[in-house]
Structures are given as C-alpha cells and as structure tokens.
C-alpha cells in the first residue's frame, strides 16, 4: 500500500505518515525497506518511485518501441550471435528475431527469454544469476563472469535514460555494472531508446558509454532537438542513417 501511495504521487514523509496514520519514523523504516528492495529511491524528506513492472513500461510509447525494435532487428544478419540486455524494447526486438533461423541470442532479460523460448530456430543462451525485481533482469557476478567468455556480433542495450557524455542511467549499481560489461562485450553496440529517454537521468547510477555505439531512436528531429546524439543516431523508420560515423564519447 505504501508503494502504491508513492506511485500515486505521495512522496513526503509527513504526508505519508498522515495518510497511513503512523509515525514518521515508521514511514522512514518502511521507505528504507522499499529502497533496499529497489522499488524506490530515497530523497531528502521523502521518496520517489523508481521502477514499474515491465508490463506497465511496455505500454508507454509502445509504437515508438515497436519501430525501434523493428529497425534493430533489420540490422541482425543470419548466423550472428546477438546479446540482448533486459528491458521492454529489447524484449520487442527479441520478438522480431524469434522467427529467424540460425541466430544465437544471449540475454539476461526475462522478457526476451519468454519471447524466444518456444522457437527452435534460435539458439537461446540465458545468462544465469540473481533475478532483480521489478525489472526482471538477471544480474550478479555470475553474469559478469559469463560475459567474459562471449564475443557477440551485436549488443543491444535498453535504457531508462541516456545522456551524452555520461552514459546510460540505471536504477541500480549492479545493473549499471552489467550494462557496461555488455557494452564492451560485442563487436557492434547499440542503445535502444525512445524519445522520452533522451537526455533524461531518473536514477543515480550510470553505465558509461565509453566506446563507439549507435543510438536507435524514434525522434525524427534528433539531430536538431538533441544535437549531442546527431553523429551516432539511427532514426527508426527513416530511410537513411542520420550522421555518418558512430559517436565515440
């Protein structure tokens, strides 16, 4: 009930204490418990909702995510090894790859696993570790150890926010470390982010974009609206790539 109240916009400790008829110290303890589970980020005087379920996220900007996933799938060649990050847009990408033959897909995302599990034409490799809720990402030292043994042709990363010069904004330190390892695992790296994620930093943890990568987004005027991404962007549904060379931060 407390998490629902935070999600509905009640973030101050005093406000929450009054709403639930308990002391402020009780609210502080409960918020600390929710923060420890990764559901909220504590702020001065209150809390902010951090993550929603993949199903909730997938409904937001669904058309944009679908266009981005379709564009990303078109880049994948037969016989390649592809690494998919956890996330809703990468989950949609998995759906577009499911009917292909001869692909190897490595992933730490439950959504992607669900999309691919029933297709015998895909060699599905699941990175094993600890399942983090609510984002349904498999994380941990075991994932990092496994990543050291693969070199995929393409890596596709999801994003809660992406800031040029800083990197991918992540809801937990553990997730930022895994994303960074994924970024450096493959020959080609791509970030999948709809327009609502560009230049946004909702969390306090970062995976630096410290190698060449391409940003796939739905923002048609990204070179004008977000010129910091202009050199590295692929606009979903556009006939040509905007900018000539991959951007190196």
């Amino acid at each position: 009930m407390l998490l629902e109240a935070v999600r509905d916009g009640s973030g101050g400790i005093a406000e929450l204490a009054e709403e639930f008829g308990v002391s402020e110290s009780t609210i502080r303890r409960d918020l600390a418990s929710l923060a420890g589970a990764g559901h909220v980020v504590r702020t001065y005087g209150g809390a902010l909702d951090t993550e929603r379920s993949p199903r909730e996220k997938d409904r937001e900007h669904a058309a944009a995510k679908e266009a981005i996933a379709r564009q990303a799938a078109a880049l994948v060649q037969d016989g390649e090894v592809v690494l998919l990050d956890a996330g809703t847009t990468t989950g949609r990408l998995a759906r577009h790859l499911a009917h292909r033959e001869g692909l190897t897909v490595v992933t730490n995302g439950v959504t992607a696993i669900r999309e691919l599990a029933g297709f015998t034409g895909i060699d599905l490799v699941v990175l094993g570790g600890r399942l983090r809720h609510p984002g349904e990402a498999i994380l941990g030292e075991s994932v990092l150890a496994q990543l050291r043994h693969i070199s995929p042709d393409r890596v596709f990363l999801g994003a809660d926010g992406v800031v040029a010069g800083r990197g991918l904004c992540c809801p937990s330190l553990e997730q930022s470390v895994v994303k960074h390892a994924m970024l450096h695992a493959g020959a080609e790296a791509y970030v999948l982010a709809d327009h609502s994620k560009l230049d946004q930093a909702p969390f306090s943890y970062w995976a630096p974009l410290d190698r060449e990568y391409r940003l796939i987004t739905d923002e048609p005027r990204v070179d004008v609206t977000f010129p910091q991404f202009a050199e590295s962007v692929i606009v979903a549904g556009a006939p040509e790539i905007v900018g000539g060379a991959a951007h190196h931060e």
Side-chain angles (χ1 to χ4, degrees):
M1 292 177 64
L2 177 59
L3 181 57
E4 291 178 1
V6 173
R7 286 177 170 171
D8 288 338
S10 300
I13 287 177
E15 179 184 357
L16 291 167
E18 182 178 357
E19 181 176 345
F20 289 95
V22 298
S23 68
E24 292 187 11
S25 61
T26 297
I27 291 295
R28 288 191 181 92
R29 285 196 300 270
D30 290 343
L31 288 176
S33 177
L34 289 174
H39 296 303
V40 299
V41 167
R42 291 295 307 275
T43 62
Y44 181 78
L48 291 178
D49 178 29
T50 60
E51 291 184 274
R52 288 146 296 157
S53 71
R55 183 174 300 176
E56 290 173 303
K57 288 183 176 181
D58 194 50
R59 289 196 292 264
E60 293 186 340
H61 310 292
K65 292 177 179 179
E66 184 67 15
I68 291 167
R70 192 182 301 274
Q71 185 77 52
L75 297 171
V76 177
Q77 304 298 310
D78 292 342
E80 289 188 337
V81 177
V82 178
L83 175 59
L84 298 185
D85 184 18
T88 55
T89 309
T90 50
R92 286 174 178 265
L93 169 55
R95 187 183 307 163
H96 284 286
L97 297 176
H99 296 279
R100 301 278 293 271
E101 296 287 338
L103 292 180
T104 297
V105 178
V106 184
T107 186
N108 73 325
V110 173
T111 302
I113 294 167
R114 290 195 189 105
E115 294 290 349
L116 297 171
F119 292 88
T120 57
I122 300 292
D123 184 10
L124 178 61
V125 179
V126 177
L127 297 172
R130 181 180 61 83
L131 181 63
R132 182 182 185 276
H133 294 287
E136 297 188 347
I138 301 170
L139 303 173
E141 287 296 329
S142 57
V143 174
L144 296 174
Q146 291 167 83
L147 286 173
R148 289 193 286 269
H149 294 278
I150 64 172
S151 80
D153 298 289
R154 301 179 198 275
V155 178
F156 294 95
L157 298 172
D160 288 283
V162 54
V163 177
R166 188 66 194 269
L168 302 178
C169 190
C170 305
S172 74
L173 179 60
E174 192 175 30
Q175 199 154 354
S176 70
V177 172
V178 169
K179 281 182 182 289
H180 191 246
M182 287 183 165
L183 175 71
H184 286 272
E188 300 286 341
Y190 303 86
V191 173
L192 311 184
D194 66 70
H195 62 277
S196 70
K197 312 290 181 59
L198 302 182
D199 209 29
Q200 296 299 306
F203 306 120
S204 302
Y205 306 99
W206 295 89
L209 288 170
D210 51 3
R211 62 155 292 182
E212 291 185 346
Y213 72 97
R214 305 308 298 266
L215 170 68
I216 307 179
T217 185
D218 64 307
E219 174 56 65
R221 289 172 51 82
V222 66
D223 57 326
V224 176
T225 310
F226 301 100
Q228 62 270 39
F229 296 117
E231 294 181 4
S232 65
V233 74
I234 300 172
V235 178
E240 297 180 357
I241 295 174
V242 177
H247 182 46
H248 190 186
E249 294 197 58

